[in-house]
Amino acid sequence: MAKITFDGIEVEVEDGTTILQAARKIGGKVVPPAMCFYTPLKGSGGKCRVCLVKVSQGSAKDPRPMPKLVASCITPVQDGMVVENTTNEDVLNARKSIVEMLLINHPLDCPICDQAGECNLQDLSYEHGVSAQRFEEERRTFNKVDLGPYIQLHMTRCILCYRCVYTADQITDKRVHGVLGRGDAAEIGTYIENVIDNDFSGNVIDVCPVGALTDKTWRFKNRVWFTKPLDAHRDCPTCSGKVTLWNRGDQVLRVTARKDEYSEVEEFICNTCRFDKKEMSDWTIEGPRKIERASVISANHYELPVVNVPIIPNLPKSAKKDLPNAPEQWNP
Amino acid sequence: MAETKNEVKFSDAAMADIQRYISHYPEDRQKSAILPILHIAQAESGGWVSPEVMDKVAEILNIQPIEVYEVATFYTMFNLKPVGKHVLEVCRTGPCCLRGADQLIDTLKQKLGVEEGGTSADGMFTLKPVECLASCGTGPMLQVREKFYENIENEEQVDAFLEMLRQSEVETPYHVAAYNKNSGK
Amino acid sequence: MGLKILTEHINVPGIETLEVYRKHGGYKSVEKAVKTMTPEEVVEEVKTSGLRGRGGAGFPTGLKWSFLAKPEGVPRYLVCNADESEPGTFKDRWFMEHNPHALIEGMITSSYALGANTSYIYIRGELMFILRILEKAIAEAYAAGLLGKNILGSGYDLDLHVAPGGGAYICGEETALLESLEGKRGNPRNKPPFPAVKGLFACPTVVNNVETIASVPWIVNNTGAEYAKVGIGRSTGTKLISASGNINNPGVYEIELGVPVEEFIYSDQYCGGIWKGKSLKAVVPGGSSVPILPANLILKTVAGEDRLMTYESLADGGFVSGSMMGSGAFIVFDEDQCIVRNTWNYARFYHHESCGQCSPCREGTGWMEKVLHRIEYGHGHQRDIDLLVSVAKQIEGNTICPLGDAAAWPVAAAIRHFRDEFEWHIKHPQEATTPGAVYRGQLNSVTA
Ligand SMILES: Cc1cc2nc3c(=O)[nH]c(=O)nc-3n(C[C@H](O)[C@H](O)[C@H](O)COP(=O)(O)O)c2cc1C
Ligand code: SF4
Ligand code: SF4
Ligand code: FES
Ligand code: FES
């Protein structure tokens, strides 16, 4: 076991635990955000850099501070380590910088994005965004493509977290999509026209932190905050059959895996459950799903990140209102 | 040359070389040989790698095609579209620019009637600006297949050089005459 | 002329053949090491020599070797970094081209020291003609019993292979190199684990530059203590300098560390002065990623001392008024060169070469390039200058690998030392975009 101090709070964890997981054990506001790390996916993390923290004391044995900020999602704790996150100015500044970097080429189309309301990037920019827009260059854009009948890829929104690639690698038997090109020209794709076709392929939608991979079978494309999440299960021969239904009244609009407060799925689900079972009669309802993450939904409001506000023309009113008062149907 | 799936064939000499590269790595690490194989595949396929050629590479290495696409699109030496008979890889990086690389690129553009990345109308030349080729002391310079051509400083040299290429045959790596103008002291 | 540790025989006709190479004392270090020394003794000599990595970071080689993990039953690897892609650097290409056996000898002796039985030379794919030169020399070495099983009857086995890259500067970064060598995209790895623990094929691995490895035979033959006598302080031995830009004699020079910069630029033994009778404007002394210094600061430190070609002296003044030895690529700018254009060119290079894994580098390098491009082509705003400084700072230190820093430093340094040139560019877009026009105002320098 290793005892560490994180933002002044002591916590004891197993050896080999990462700083991020230790912080999650404490929970609440001190937990660093994570855009690329995903606990169920081996090898994930280290890329987006939003989870950077300051290690002001390496360990009890070697108390020297680490010279650079470190990615908390992949750095293991040492006994006696002292870590600063929300208590360190440099960390908060670095995080702001990184959020800005993630947004410079991100389209400012939250009002029409399917992910709005459950987008990790949106959450991130609320909490850590900068207020001024400094990027004046042309943004990178890609065309939307269909990866088969179920999944749509809107590459323009992708933050290259690699989660979908690890998912395809680790839970499907034959990966057909990957990262092509390099630098800021890198993109997720199949290179040749190809269909992601596998019993578990739909999980790439759940792991995507932004609206780059979306569910084409999502019925009547609805703003997520108009839907009611319910935990449900069915007897499925392929997966655990434990899912969250996103309903409007008695209509199942969408099926996803159950996600925890960090947007991580509890269990991956199969495509049949996700795409084909859209009747209430398909499911045994367990009860309402509590959405725990500090997301837009539970915060009960939906606002655009500050950074985007000034440059979106005709900002729809609904985008600035609290959820209960939002109009039933929103037309862009 | 229309190639259809699975009909891509490499010469015996190329296949032997491919096997030699594969043998350089541990048993279960065959994928390591992907870069030398892609180089060979490109040389064998008219200077570029089509999806079919990459699929062939995947088949040789027993990996998924996407793994080859991922690699081939990362590295700049693999041409993903058809190219001219001679690809002029001109260095456009700082140190060569101090000695006139920008002008060399402009001259080539004008003489070949192409933009960067373009192929001349006669299909003879593709102009491909590249980054520093480790020959900065002898810039401006360019590379055509495995050869460096250095200190190309004026228009007459460019003309003579293009003429020389027009007359020359494409050499595949299996009969290359190593040529290099030396630098340094 | 100083001592030539690496290049003494480089101009001997036929030195690329085993026969001539051996006639000039080649492969003596292999005999000495495998027959009379333990691997630990070789490592000890290298430690004593004070040899520092010649690939850019200048890390002490002996120390690096001593970190190599040695778990029972797990192979170890030595990988030679012949990716040489840092703009301005061409010493390794030149060296391997002329004297391939010298690198192979270094590989055998060093592999023995590290207990590696398979080693690789990873060479950038553009240098396929050098790969063929090396492969030919390796074949000769196998035939002579210098490679393969039971080298020179010592019981030591070594296989040596050359592996080409595919066109990616980032594969010079050691963990990207290892990924590439494993046949993957050249995405640098997160560290730890370091290669010394988990490198090639997840086994303990040492990655060293061509020149570093080629220096080992002399150290083994002449002892580390002798090597340490050459040079100044912690900058021991000799170094290959790739001199390029606006000088009379561009080329590769082997210098004893400690030669004054002024002598290096103006002496006929070396660069031979600025070409066409022009005057010196600036120097990038260690490859495109190190800070550029204006003429006054490259010749003398802020304290007024002569700057020397050593790791310490080139870095004197830190990033305020100093630079770095880097890979020893000495890029010289005459008075007619435009710093803005050059900075844009470097920024374009790093933008082009970012692997794209981590967000600050992927997005930041493109951002900097676009802003610099605007300035260079007459569409800049004064606020862009501070924006560039700020973006550079946002990248620096926040990335997976040092390419982020390498992209940030040249931009930050150019603005630090040539801010007025940027301002002029922005204020006078028409003049600045006229071919041949260069800012000739007072060169500002730091007031540290
Ligand atoms: C972006 C980047 C590019 C690099 N390119 C090279 C290179 O081309 N050649 C090289 O020897 N080292 C290069 N290095 C340094 C290597 O990572 C590594 O430090 C070096 O190979 C170690 O060898 P040495 O200790 O002998 O210098 C590069 C580093 C970075 C971050
Ligand atoms: S598509 Fe989504 S999951 Fe995949 S890399 Fe992009 S942001 Fe990550
Ligand atoms: S710093 Fe740049 S090159 Fe290095 S890992 Fe990150 S994106 Fe890749
Ligand atoms: S979550 Fe740690 S780097 Fe992305
Ligand atoms: S800059 Fe052209 S070869 Fe180095």
Side-chain angles (χ1 to χ4, degrees):
Chain A
M1 295 296 277
K3 204 187 263 172
I4 74 159
T5 311
F6 190 97
D7 273 354
I9 305 164
E10 275 194 13
V11 60
E12 201 168 353
V13 290
E14 298 270 323
D15 290 327
T17 309
T18 60
I19 297 175
L20 179 70
Q21 299 292 26
R24 284 183 177 178
K25 201 170 168 201
I26 299 170
K29 280 275 171 218
V30 298
V31 182
M35 295 293 289
C36 67
F37 175 76
Y38 208 70
T39 312
L41 298 174
K42 222 176 120 234
S44 66
K47 299 188 195 303
C48 73
R49 318 301 286 172
V50 301
C51 70
L52 291 180
V53 293
K54 172 78 192 169
V55 175
S56 52
Q57 177 174 320
S59 68
K61 259 196 250 139
D62 182 356
R64 285 175 305 171
M66 293 191 182
K68 288 187 192 176
L69 303 184
V70 302
S72 59
C73 65
I74 46 163
T75 308
V77 298
Q78 305 282 340
D79 192 41
M81 187 182 260
V82 178
V83 185
E84 295 167 8
N85 178 32
T86 60
T87 51
N88 186 300
E89 195 82 25
D90 292 345
V91 171
L92 297 177
N93 283 335
R95 193 163 295 147
K96 262 200 193 115
S97 302
I98 287 155
V99 174
E100 181 180 27
M101 296 292 187
L102 285 172
L103 288 172
I104 61 171
N105 274 303
H106 197 77
L108 304 168
D109 64 350
C110 307
I112 55 158
C113 175
D114 290 343
Q115 194 89 354
E118 53 180 351
C119 170
N120 296 142
L121 187 58
Q122 213 177 20
D123 294 353
L124 187 71
S125 43
Y126 283 130
E127 285 163 37
H128 307 282
V130 286
S131 52
Q133 166 76 22
R134 305 191 297 169
F135 187 73
E136 301 172 22
E137 325 304 320
E138 204 173 309
R139 277 160 210 275
R140 180 173 63 223
T141 53
F142 298 84
N143 291 334
K144 275 187 210 168
V145 290
D146 285 338
L147 304 172
Y150 302 128
I151 305 168
Q152 185 169 70
L153 168 64
H154 200 345
M155 179 58 213
T156 308
R157 298 177 182 145
C158 169
I159 60 155
L160 287 167
C161 70
Y162 285 58
R163 283 181 187 172
C164 60
V165 179
Y166 290 119
T167 303
D169 244 356
Q170 291 169 28
I171 67 166
T172 72
D173 54 7
K174 213 174 93 190
R175 180 161 67 90
V176 298
H177 88 290
V179 183
L180 306 168
R182 76 173 184 218
D184 64 3
E187 60 177 305
I188 294 293
T190 50
Y191 195 67
I192 51 170
E193 208 170 294
N194 213 333
V195 172
I196 298 190
D197 178 23
N198 180 282
D199 277 350
F200 285 88
S201 63
N203 289 294
V204 297
I205 299 166
D206 278 344
V207 301
C208 184
V210 292
L213 290 168
T214 49
D215 183 341
K216 286 182 64 187
T217 70
W218 187 355
R219 292 206 267 176
F220 326 116
K221 297 275 176 167
N222 214 309
R223 312 306 288 166
V224 71
W225 58 93
F226 297 136
T227 63
K228 194 170 76 186
L230 295 170
D231 276 350
H233 66 262
R234 64 182 272 270
D235 204 7
C236 176
T238 320
C239 69
S240 71
K242 290 185 191 155
V243 303
T244 301
L245 304 180
W246 299 77
N247 278 21
R248 178 121 166 254
D250 272 351
Q251 273 183 323
V252 178
L253 303 183
R254 182 174 69 148
V255 181
T256 68
R258 295 183 188 173
K259 297 190 196 180
D260 68 10
E261 58 191 304
Y262 303 110
S263 296
E264 292 181 350
V265 302
E266 286 166 10
E267 276 169 287
F268 290 112
I269 61 168
C270 72
N271 284 3
T272 311
C273 286
R274 183 188 303 273
F275 299 125
D276 299 337
K277 301 291 170 190
K278 296 277 172 85
E279 300 303 328
M280 280 299 265
S281 54
D282 292 327
W283 298 99
T284 310
I285 306 296
E286 296 169 16
R289 171 95 188 154
K290 251 181 70 200
I291 302 297
E292 284 175 359
R293 57 186 256 256
S295 80
V296 209
I297 305 171
S298 57
N300 230 9
H301 65 180
Y302 169 51
E303 286 160 2
L304 289 166
V306 218
V307 61
N308 297 351
V309 173
I311 24 180
I312 296 185
N314 308 324
L315 192 69
K317 267 208 182 118
S318 62
K320 300 215 71 160
K321 282 212 182 116
D322 284 352
L323 177 60
N325 307 326
E328 268 292 281
Q329 200 68 44
W330 179 73
N331 295 307
Chain B
M1 203 171 43
E3 287 152 327
T4 48
K5 209 162 181 146
N6 297 329
E7 279 178 13
V8 177
K9 271 223 158 22
F10 302 138
S11 66
D12 291 345
M15 282 311 290
D17 222 19
I18 286 174
Q19 288 310 329
R20 184 173 66 87
Y21 278 111
I22 291 176
S23 77
H24 289 173
Y25 301 97
E27 231 22 61
D28 52 341
R29 296 283 186 169
Q30 294 211 343
K31 188 184 172 184
S32 303
I34 192 168
L35 290 176
I37 296 178
L38 277 168
H39 282 297
I40 293 169
Q42 175 156 298
E44 290 274 301
S45 316
W48 72 293
V49 286
S50 63
E52 292 74 24
V53 168
M54 289 193 265
D55 290 351
K56 178 75 183 179
V57 173
E59 187 191 300
I60 292 172
L61 289 172
N62 197 16
I63 56 180
Q64 297 300 328
I66 185 71
E67 297 179 63
V68 183
Y69 310 152
E70 283 184 319
V71 168
T73 57
F74 185 91
Y75 298 93
T76 52
M77 290 185 74
F78 305 114
N79 299 313
L80 305 170
K81 299 224 168 73
V83 290
K85 182 170 170 190
H86 304 290
V87 181
L88 312 181
E89 298 182 298
V90 195
C91 173
R92 62 167 175 188
T93 313
C96 273
C97 290
L98 294 179
R99 303 183 72 89
D102 285 335
Q103 289 87 316
L104 173 60
I105 293 176
D106 284 344
T107 307
L108 286 167
K109 273 193 201 165
Q110 183 218 326
K111 291 205 180 287
L112 304 175
V114 297
E115 280 307 304
E116 295 181 6
T119 299
S120 59
D122 60 1
M124 186 65 76
F125 300 106
T126 297
L127 179 62
K128 180 180 177 184
V130 296
E131 303 297 350
C132 177
L133 287 169
S135 192
C136 329
T138 38
M141 58 81 62
L142 53 77
Q143 175 167 30
V144 180
R145 277 177 292 280
E146 298 195 6
K147 292 180 188 172
F148 279 7
Y149 301 88
E150 301 167 309
N151 292 312
I152 309 183
E153 282 154 358
N154 55 48
E155 222 179 306
E156 293 78 69
Q157 277 172 292
V158 174
D159 285 334
F161 165 71
L162 291 177
E163 197 43 40
M164 183 274 292
L165 281 182
R166 281 201 182 88
Q167 308 299 332
S168 72
E169 278 315 302
V170 174
E171 297 160 330
T172 77
Y174 304 99
H175 40 90
V176 75
Y179 159 91
N180 187 253
K181 189 160 170 289
N182 300 327
S183 60
K185 302 202 155 175
Chain C
M1 279 262 179
L3 177 68
K4 299 284 180 240
I5 287 177
L6 294 153
T7 60
E8 189 184 350
H9 304 298
I10 202 146
N11 288 321
V12 173
I15 196 74
E16 71 281 0
T17 63
L18 183 75
E19 197 195 334
V20 176
Y21 183 70
R22 282 197 117 165
K23 226 179 256 163
H24 288 84
Y27 288 105
K28 264 199 332 225
S29 78
V30 174
E31 288 228 44
K32 181 168 176 189
V34 301
K35 290 194 175 155
T36 70
M37 296 170 81
T38 64
E40 293 74 25
E41 281 165 356
V42 180
V43 175
E44 219 30 65
E45 286 301 328
V46 173
K47 264 193 184 166
T48 312
S49 75
L51 173 67
R52 291 166 69 174
R54 303 300 195 214
F59 193 83
T61 306
L63 197 59
K64 182 169 181 169
W65 286 12
S66 65
F67 292 153
L68 185 69
K70 303 201 163 102
E72 207 53 47
V74 179
R76 277 165 251 152
Y77 293 101
L78 171 64
V79 177
C80 172
N81 188 341
D83 191 60
E84 193 168 61
S85 314
E86 171 95 352
T89 320
F90 48 101
K91 62 181 178 87
D92 296 341
R93 191 264 305 154
W94 176 81
F95 185 80
M96 293 184 287
E97 183 174 349
H98 292 282
N99 203 353
H101 281 289
L103 173 61
I104 296 164
E105 176 175 0
M107 285 299 287
I108 302 170
T109 307
S110 307
S111 298
Y112 173 74
L114 297 168
N117 297 111
T118 306
S119 294
Y120 296 91
I121 299 171
Y122 178 93
I123 188 164
R124 60 181 297 190
E126 292 88 342
L127 300 183
M128 210 53 106
F129 62 99
I130 308 276
L131 173 139
R132 299 189 200 288
I133 292 171
L134 288 170
E135 284 192 337
K136 200 165 149 204
I138 287 173
E140 284 184 306
Y142 267 104
L146 289 158
L147 278 169
K149 292 250 170 294
N150 194 17
I151 291 171
L152 301 177
S154 64
Y156 173 61
D157 306 335
L158 176 67
D159 282 315
L160 178 61
H161 307 296
V162 194
Y169 164 69
I170 190 57
C171 293
E173 193 280 337
E174 56 185 5
T175 59
L177 185 156
L178 296 175
E179 286 285 292
S180 184
L181 194 47
E182 292 181 6
K184 302 180 203 153
R185 296 162 59 83
N187 283 351
R189 298 175 182 169
N190 276 293
K191 281 144 275 184
F194 289 93
V197 177
K198 220 170 155 195
L200 184 64
F201 308 135
C203 300
T205 302
V206 166
V207 181
N208 273 132
N209 173 259
V210 171
E211 185 187 344
T212 313
I213 290 171
S215 300
V216 171
W218 195 96
I219 293 169
V220 168
N221 290 334
N222 299 276
T223 76
E226 275 304 302
Y227 190 89
K229 283 185 194 158
V230 185
I232 297 180
R234 288 182 56 235
S235 294
T236 62
T238 64
K239 169 100 192 74
L240 297 178
I241 304 292
S242 321
S244 67
N246 309 131
I247 46 177
N248 283 318
N249 312 324
V252 179
Y253 299 96
E254 180 172 12
I255 60 160
E256 286 186 26
L257 287 168
V259 173
V261 171
E262 187 160 1
E263 180 184 341
F264 186 72
I265 297 177
Y266 292 103
S267 156
D268 282 338
Q269 251 185 65
Y270 305 115
C271 303
I274 311 304
W275 72 352
K276 303 177 184 168
K278 295 186 188 188
S279 58
L280 175 68
K281 180 170 185 177
V283 172
V284 174
S288 60
S289 55
V290 311
I292 190 170
L293 290 180
N296 57 337
L297 284 177
I298 187 67
L299 299 175
K300 298 245 191 281
T301 66
V302 169
E305 284 163 14
D306 281 348
R307 228 185 253 285
L308 310 178
M309 301 285 275
T310 64
Y311 290 91
E312 293 74 22
S313 180
L314 287 173
D316 186 287
F319 275 10
V320 178
S321 62
S323 185
M324 280 162 84
M325 170 70 99
S327 60
F330 199 84
I331 311 166
V332 180
F333 297 69
D334 71 26
E335 55 190 309
D336 289 333
Q337 300 302 334
C338 171
I339 300 297
V340 175
R341 185 166 184 83
N342 188 72
T343 310
W344 162 62
N345 188 296
Y346 286 8
R348 196 219 52 238
F349 173 82
Y350 289 105
H351 175 202
H352 185 255
E353 300 300 331
S354 162
C355 83
Q357 250 192 126
C358 56
S359 26
C361 171
R362 178 183 65 239
E363 306 295 341
T365 52
W367 193 355
M368 290 196 300
E369 189 212 330
K370 286 174 181 162
V371 174
L372 281 160
H373 185 270
R374 265 199 294 107
I375 299 178
E376 166 64 10
Y377 286 93
H379 305 289
H381 315 294
Q382 291 296 344
R383 62 174 183 276
D384 288 338
I385 300 177
D386 287 333
L387 176 66
L388 285 169
V389 174
S390 146
V391 174
K393 213 161 151 194
Q394 281 173 234
I395 302 172
E396 191 184 341
N398 291 336
T399 54
I400 296 177
C401 89
L403 187 137
D405 302 343
W409 292 340
V411 174
I415 295 177
R416 191 179 312 123
H417 298 300
F418 297 93
R419 194 178 183 110
D420 48 351
E421 191 164 338
F422 283 83
E423 288 171 356
W424 176 82
H425 243 265
I426 293 166
K427 224 180 272 166
H428 306 282
Q430 214 139 25
E431 256 180 282
T433 48
T434 313
V438 217
Y439 176 69
R440 293 186 195 282
Q442 182 74 46
L443 293 181
N444 75 327
S445 80
V446 283
T447 43

